[in-house]
């Protein structure tokens, strides 16, 4: 049985990844930052192991690694934890900028550092990072979010080259407009407009993204690395 770690697993896309991987026969560990009730309910539902940890903290993630390594090692990392924010650049503070990058890209670096040796020892592994269409195209009033997700793409491409000789693939999924609580700030009219701009005629779901993660995690995908997989309904 393969072991998967999903960061930010208690809500949204992460929650659907936990469900899909658990249903797919994987042993699932997931981290969460503050959603205690949601994490406990998901763990009860799926049999996954929930670990409270902030991905932007080396101390927290080292503690999470110690918990996991007491019984298991990780075969697959899904770096999903992330935050977003709508602000004009004049209103983005230094703290806003740092918080965005600490969670969205530094968190990936820390997580990989804590679990990479598991994969190197086995000469195989999968690292799957969550980017965004806005990291590819840029989103107005989301400069710090778009920049952090563009960094995810650069991180993925560079790391894929470094780890390929160790049998480890590194890819990222680039979601389009997904119907999760991260987009709850959108008005009904905003959502209607985004659906209109999406050729398939709907917003994506967490399950759409989880399916792509399952695809990349498979043993049969060993020749796919450094890729940016768009899951956006043709939005671009």
């Amino acid at each position: 049985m393969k072991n998967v770690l999903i960061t930010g697993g208690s809500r949204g896309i992460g929650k659907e990844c936990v469900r899909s991987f658990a249903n797919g026969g994987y042993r699932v560990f997931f981290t969460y930052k503050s959603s205690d009730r949601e994490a406990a309910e998901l763990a009860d539902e799926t049999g996954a192991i929930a670990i409270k940890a902030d991905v932007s903290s080396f101390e927290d993630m080292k503690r999470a690694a110690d918990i996991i390594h007491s019984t298991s090692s990780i075969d697959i990392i899904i770096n999903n934890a992330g935050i977003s924010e709508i602000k004009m650049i004049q209103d983005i503070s230094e703290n806003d900028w740092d918080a965005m990058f600490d969670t969205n890209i530094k968190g990936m670096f820390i997580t990989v550092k804590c679990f990479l040796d598991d994969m190197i020892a086995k000469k195989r592994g999968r690292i799957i990072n969550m980017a965004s269409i806005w990291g590819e195209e840029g989103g107005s009033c989301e400069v710090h979010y778009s920049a952090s997700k563009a960094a995810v793409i650069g991180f993925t491409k560079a790391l894929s080259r470094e780890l390929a000789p160790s049998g480890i693939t590194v890819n990222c999924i680039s979601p389009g407009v997904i119907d999760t609580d991260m987009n709850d700030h959108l008005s009904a009219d905003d959502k209607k407009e985004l659906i209109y701009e999406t050729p398939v005629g709907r917003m994506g779901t967490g399950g759409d993204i989880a399916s792509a993660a399952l695809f990349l995690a498979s043993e049969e995908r060993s020749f796919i690395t450094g890729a940016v997989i768009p899951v956006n309904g043709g939005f671009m």
Side-chain angles (χ1 to χ4, degrees):
M1 180 182 289
K2 292 291 196 320
N3 300 318
V4 57
L5 170 67
I6 301 167
T7 65
S10 64
R11 299 164 61 186
I13 289 171
K15 183 176 185 177
E16 292 307 314
C17 286
V18 170
R19 285 173 168 160
S20 294
F21 276 83
N23 289 337
Y26 292 84
R27 181 183 293 112
V28 180
F29 300 86
F30 71 92
T31 66
Y32 70 99
K33 184 177 179 181
S34 58
S35 304
D36 295 314
R37 179 178 59 81
E38 292 92 336
E41 289 175 353
L42 185 61
D44 287 342
E45 173 193 337
T46 62
I49 297 171
I51 302 171
K52 190 169 187 174
D54 180 350
V55 294
S56 69
S57 164
F58 259 116
E59 182 179 356
D60 275 17
M61 291 308 293
K62 178 61 169 61
R63 179 178 52 80
D66 289 343
I67 291 169
I68 292 171
H69 288 151
S70 67
T71 60
S72 306
S73 63
I74 292 300
D75 302 289
I76 300 156
I77 296 170
I78 300 179
N79 279 311
N80 166 76
I83 59 173
S84 67
E85 186 177 46
I86 304 292
K87 277 190 177 180
M88 298 285 286
I89 191 167
Q90 297 99 318
D91 298 323
I92 297 172
S93 68
E94 183 177 1
N95 286 340
D96 293 334
W97 184 274
D98 289 345
M100 190 69 67
F101 274 77
D102 281 352
T103 300
N104 290 2
I105 184 64
K106 181 184 174 184
M108 293 190 182
F109 163 71
I110 291 172
T111 302
V112 169
K113 288 275 285 184
C114 287
F115 293 96
L116 183 58
D117 285 348
D118 294 10
M119 300 181 186
I120 290 175
K122 301 172 189 176
K123 297 288 287 184
R124 69 173 189 272
R126 301 281 184 268
I127 299 173
I128 301 166
N129 303 321
M130 292 297 170
S132 168
I133 190 173
W134 306 127
E136 299 180 81
E137 298 294 305
S140 176
C141 302
E142 293 184 89
V143 167
H144 51 342
Y145 177 75
S146 299
S148 71
K149 290 301 187 177
V152 170
I153 294 171
F155 176 81
T156 298
K157 288 181 176 291
L159 191 61
S160 72
R161 290 177 176 267
E162 185 171 330
L163 298 184
S166 297
I168 301 164
T169 67
V170 188
N171 294 289
C172 67
I173 297 169
S174 183
V177 182
I178 307 300
D179 190 13
T180 68
D181 54 5
M182 187 176 278
N183 285 321
D184 281 349
H185 63 278
L186 297 172
S187 69
D189 286 342
D190 288 339
K191 290 183 178 181
K192 185 176 180 180
E193 179 63 25
L194 289 168
I195 290 170
Y196 176 77
E197 294 178 14
T198 303
V200 301
R202 66 173 176 87
M203 296 176 73
T205 68
D208 292 323
I209 307 305
S211 294
L214 280 167
F215 172 82
L216 291 171
S218 168
E219 284 292 324
E220 287 73 32
R221 312 303 169 223
S222 61
F223 204 59
I224 302 174
T225 196
V228 181
I229 306 296
V231 186
N232 58 36
F235 186 86
M236 295 172 69

